[in-house]
């Protein structure tokens, strides 16, 4: 541990107000009122997950739960009981009152046992994180930071009168219960927001969002005319591109039975009379990209944006991580797609498969995502994008397989979606994005509220340790008298006991 200052010097130099203490309080080195026990180097060959007793390791200090069992010989004196204070001595120097069942104290974790005649355990538990954080911020290391128990013993612990400690702990418990409850309630909101977004999308793609629009002005507009025009365009496109297979033989028709046969891509549901269920490939060109040879350096580093599947992550794409040259484009089976093309991830067990993106630039793509040329069909690409967002989980199930889960061109072409007239699709996109802007604004307020609960806890602690949270009782034993009793107790200890304690705290 590269630590060049005494802890008391750091506390004196701190200007955040978190380490100031009440004017009538005292400070005492933590080692004078607290036993500090370093963990034991239990043999890792006896670690397992099926039998033995729990071992508290550094990672467990953060989680509050041991996941490692020890089946070897157990030495005496290294047990941690529930509510004991433990400190992780590597990394970020986390600490907590142990919330789980008893376990063994492993090396690089220490246990603090305050003498509760002088120092309330829970008072120490509230005070300690701020001091460890200060030490952590001033500990420099090129690898993992290390904390010694000697440094812990030097922490200038605030020392109010003993009864005032109890009052402070009681007040902090009540206030923290309120902020914890607020944080818990706030934590539910993101999932509620996600459900609300899905409800908006569900309403959008069954026609509910634009029901009044159809009744008032455009009920006579049909998708059939647009669909017929797009089928003719698709036929011409297939003919001009040399595709021999008649794609209509692989298209799913719009009757109920065949719609259900699409492995749950979308559930067949009644649509407005002016809409139609249709396969994506019937109205839009679908293309699979390619990766130019990595062995040909001249194929890379050009000016043509090239999208990898990892960049298709429910977003708009205005730049890419890699670019290819004109030579790379010519010598690979990929195409340059127009602005407004919707990309769909096809490969992978992670999140990529089923995610979509909209091109805000002309770009080509790799073989792991499909390019759906929506904009060139005179249709708003955002409509198809939001529908793919809505159908994300179902689209992923279509691509599930025994080996590497994947969609393919044929499956993408056969994905059903509800086709409204283009005019109505534009209005639907507008309503979705207006609603989502409001929801995203709400999400920002939730994040701000969550951050405020953290700041509120810090302010509560600051006031608590400056003696501003509770009223003083003139009948309390003064902190100065308490400090004298601590010093007298320290001097009265047998020399060998003090030496034993010093040996404990100086190691580790």
């Amino acid at each position: 541990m590269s630590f060049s200052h005494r802890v008391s010097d750091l506390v004196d130099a701190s200007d955040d107000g978190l380490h100031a203490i009440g004017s009538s309080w005292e400070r005492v080195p933590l080692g004078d009122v607290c036993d500090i026990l370093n963990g034991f180097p239990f043999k890792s060959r006896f670690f397992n997950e099926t039998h033995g007793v729990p071992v508290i390791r550094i990672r467990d200090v953060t989680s509050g739960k041991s996941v490692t069992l020890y089946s070897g010989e157990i030495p005496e004196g290294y047990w941690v009981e529930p509510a004991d204070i433990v400190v992780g001595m590597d990394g970020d120097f986390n600490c907590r009152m142990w919330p789980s069942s008893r376990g063994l104290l492993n090396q690089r974790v220490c246990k603090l046992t305050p003498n509760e005649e002088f120092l309330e355990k829970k008072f120490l538990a509230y005070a300690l994180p701020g001091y460890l954080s200060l030490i952590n911020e001033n500990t420099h290391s090129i690898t993992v930071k290390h904390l010694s128990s000697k440094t812990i013993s030097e922490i200038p612990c605030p020392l109010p009168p003993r009864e005032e400690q109890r009052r402070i702990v009681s007040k902090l418990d009540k206030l923290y219960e309120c902020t914890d409850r607020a944080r818990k309630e706030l934590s539910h909101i993101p999932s509620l927001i996600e459900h609300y977004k899905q409800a908006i999308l569900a309403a959008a793609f069954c026609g509910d969002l634009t029901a009044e629009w159809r009744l008032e002005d455009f009920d006579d507009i049909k998708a059939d005319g647009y669909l017929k025009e797009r089928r003719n365009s698709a036929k011409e496109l297939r003919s001009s591109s040399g595709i021999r297979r008649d794609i209509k033989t692989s298209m799913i028709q719009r009757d109920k039975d065949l719609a259900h046969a699409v492995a749950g891509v979308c559930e067949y549901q009644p649509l407005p009379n002016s809409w139609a269920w249709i396969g994506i490939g019937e109205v839009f060109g679908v293309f699979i990209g390619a990766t130019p040879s990595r062995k040909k350096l001249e194929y890379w580093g050009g000016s043509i944006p090239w999208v990898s599947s990892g960049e298709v992550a429910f977003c708009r794409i205005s730049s890419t991580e890699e670019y290819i040259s004109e030579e790379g484009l010519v010598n690979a089976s990929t195409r340059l797609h127009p602005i407004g093309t919707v990309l769909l991830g096809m490969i992978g067990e992670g999140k990529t498969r089923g995610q979509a993106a909209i091109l805000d630039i002309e770009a080509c793509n790799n073989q792991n995502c499909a390019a759906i040329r929506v904009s060139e069909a005179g249709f708003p690409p955002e409509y198809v994008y939001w529908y793919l967002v809505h159908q994300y989980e179902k689209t992923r199930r279509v691509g599930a397989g025994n080996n590497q889960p994947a969609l393919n061109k044929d499956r993408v072409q056969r994905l059903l979606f509800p086709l409204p007239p283009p005019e109505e699709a534009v209005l639907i996109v507008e309503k979705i994005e207006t609603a989502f802007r409001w929801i995203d604004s709400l999400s920002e307020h939730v994040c701000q509220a969550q951050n405020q609960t953290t700041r509120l806890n810090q302010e509560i602690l600051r006031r608590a340790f400056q003696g501003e949270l509770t009223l003083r009782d003139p009948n309390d034993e003064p902190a100065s008298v308490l400090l004298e009793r601590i010093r007298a107790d320290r001097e009265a200890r047998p020399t060998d006991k003090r030496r034993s304690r010093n040996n404990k705290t100086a190691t580790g």
Side-chain angles (χ1 to χ4, degrees):
M1 172 179 173
S2 55
F3 186 74
S4 58
H5 305 284
R6 290 178 58 84
V7 184
S8 57
D9 295 334
L10 293 177
V11 172
D12 291 340
S14 175
D15 60 359
D16 60 8
L18 292 176
H19 305 97
I21 61 172
S23 58
S24 63
W25 296 8
E26 299 286 349
R27 287 190 185 275
V28 61
L30 189 56
D32 285 0
V33 290
C34 192
D35 283 325
I36 304 172
L37 175 66
N38 289 303
F40 186 80
F42 293 99
K43 302 297 183 182
S44 59
R45 67 175 179 271
F46 295 113
F47 289 174
N48 64 89
E49 297 180 358
T50 58
H51 61 283
V53 295
V55 178
I56 300 171
R57 306 169 73 180
I58 286 182
R59 64 189 182 192
D60 304 328
V61 175
T62 302
S63 67
K65 183 179 180 180
S66 173
V67 295
T68 305
L69 299 178
Y70 177 75
S71 58
E73 184 179 353
I74 300 176
E76 295 183 4
Y78 290 94
W79 286 101
V80 174
E81 304 292 344
D84 280 348
I85 298 174
V86 291
V87 178
M89 305 176 76
D90 288 345
D92 293 331
F93 310 156
N94 295 314
C95 68
R96 73 179 310 134
M97 293 184 76
W98 185 245
S100 305
S101 58
R102 74 192 313 242
L104 294 171
L105 188 69
N106 195 47
Q107 62 183 344
R108 305 308 306 153
V109 180
C110 70
K111 180 177 76 170
L112 308 187
T113 307
N115 183 337
E116 296 203 60
E117 179 184 350
F118 307 121
L119 185 64
E120 178 86 8
K121 180 191 289 187
K122 203 163 188 182
F123 180 86
L124 175 60
Y126 276 123
L128 189 59
Y131 290 90
L132 293 179
S133 177
L134 184 64
I135 295 169
N136 181 42
E137 292 169 3
N138 290 273
T139 301
H140 307 288
S141 176
I142 59 174
T143 55
V144 178
K145 296 179 180 181
H146 300 289
L147 176 67
S148 73
S149 52
K150 181 177 185 299
T151 299
I152 296 176
S153 73
E154 294 173 350
I155 290 175
C157 184
L159 187 69
R162 189 67 181 78
E163 289 303 316
E164 189 172 354
Q165 292 179 37
R166 292 194 178 97
R167 292 195 296 273
I168 290 171
V169 166
S170 177
K171 190 69 173 180
L172 286 173
D173 284 347
K174 292 177 181 178
L175 292 174
Y176 267 52
E177 182 181 352
C178 293
T179 57
D180 288 347
R181 186 164 58 247
R183 187 180 291 108
K184 183 177 180 180
E185 294 298 328
L186 287 169
S187 70
H188 296 318
I189 295 179
S191 62
L192 295 176
I193 286 175
E194 186 59 32
H195 285 309
Y196 186 35
K197 282 188 173 183
Q198 285 297 324
I200 290 173
L201 293 176
F205 297 114
C206 70
D208 286 354
L209 287 189
T210 46
E212 292 184 6
W213 181 87
R214 288 192 305 275
L215 288 174
E216 292 177 2
D217 299 307
F218 293 96
D219 191 39
D220 57 336
I221 294 181
K222 305 290 184 183
D224 290 347
Y226 176 79
L227 178 57
K228 183 177 180 180
E229 176 186 343
R230 288 306 309 151
R231 280 174 170 163
N232 289 336
S233 297
K235 184 176 180 180
E236 293 174 5
L237 179 63
R238 291 193 298 274
S239 177
S240 62
S241 62
I243 300 176
R244 297 181 180 179
R245 181 183 179 188
D246 186 356
I247 195 170
K248 286 192 290 186
T249 62
S250 66
M251 288 295 109
I252 291 188
Q253 304 302 311
R254 285 173 288 153
D255 63 87
K256 182 175 180 178
D257 293 337
L258 288 179
H260 275 301
V262 191
V265 177
C266 76
E267 297 172 0
Y268 186 88
Q269 61 186 12
L271 295 175
N273 292 332
S274 55
W275 292 31
W277 280 111
I278 195 69
I280 282 179
E282 287 193 77
V283 288
F284 308 124
V286 177
F287 301 91
I288 308 302
T291 301
S293 174
R294 296 283 184 181
K295 297 179 181 179
K296 301 284 188 179
L297 297 181
E298 62 270 24
Y299 289 175
W300 296 89
S303 60
I304 300 173
W306 181 82
V307 182
S308 69
S309 54
E311 296 173 88
V312 180
F314 290 135
C315 60
R316 302 191 76 102
I317 295 177
S318 57
S319 63
T320 57
E321 296 178 0
E322 294 185 282
Y323 291 78
I324 64 174
S325 65
E326 290 283 353
E327 189 175 359
L329 179 64
V330 170
N331 288 280
S333 300
T334 188
R335 300 165 182 254
L336 191 62
H337 302 296
I339 293 173
T341 296
V342 176
L343 299 179
L344 177 64
M346 299 193 304
I347 305 294
E349 294 184 355
K351 295 181 178 180
T352 301
R353 191 178 78 257
Q355 293 200 63
I358 299 176
L359 287 181
D360 285 337
I361 54 173
E362 290 186 338
C364 50
N365 60 288
N366 74 359
Q367 66 277 9
N368 293 335
C369 53
I372 307 169
R373 290 188 171 184
V374 181
S375 59
E376 71 177 8
F379 202 80
E382 291 81 4
Y383 180 89
V384 175
Y385 169 82
W386 285 119
Y387 186 71
L388 291 173
V389 170
H390 179 49
Q391 293 292 309
Y392 173 63
E393 293 297 339
K394 294 178 181 178
T395 303
R396 286 175 61 79
R397 287 199 292 272
V398 172
N402 293 328
N403 297 316
Q404 185 180 22
L407 293 163
N408 56 36
K409 182 176 181 179
D410 183 60
R411 286 174 171 174
V412 173
Q413 289 173 326
R414 291 190 290 117
L415 290 176
L416 289 177
F417 82 106
L419 179 74
E423 299 88 343
E424 189 170 357
V426 171
L427 182 60
I428 288 171
V429 169
E430 180 182 328
K431 287 182 174 292
I432 290 173
E433 295 185 348
T434 298
F436 279 20
R437 279 193 295 272
W438 179 83
I439 294 172
D440 290 340
S441 174
L442 176 61
S443 297
E444 290 179 6
H445 288 303
V446 171
C447 289
Q448 292 172 2
Q450 289 173 327
N451 292 335
Q452 286 173 351
T453 60
T454 300
R455 290 195 294 270
L456 179 59
N457 281 349
Q458 291 175 337
E459 178 62 16
I460 290 171
L461 285 175
R462 185 188 69 78
R463 289 177 178 268
F465 295 118
Q466 289 185 1
E468 300 174 359
L469 201 62
T470 57
L471 295 175
R472 293 185 179 88
D473 187 335
N475 296 318
D476 287 346
E477 178 187 57
S480 57
V481 174
L482 179 60
L483 181 60
E484 289 301 321
R485 289 204 295 119
I486 291 171
R487 289 170 176 168
D489 175 78
R490 183 170 180 270
E491 292 300 321
R493 294 177 201 155
T495 303
D496 58 344
K497 183 176 181 181
R498 290 213 308 271
R499 185 179 298 115
S500 173
R501 179 188 294 255
N502 291 336
N503 285 340
K504 280 185 179 180
T505 60
T507 58

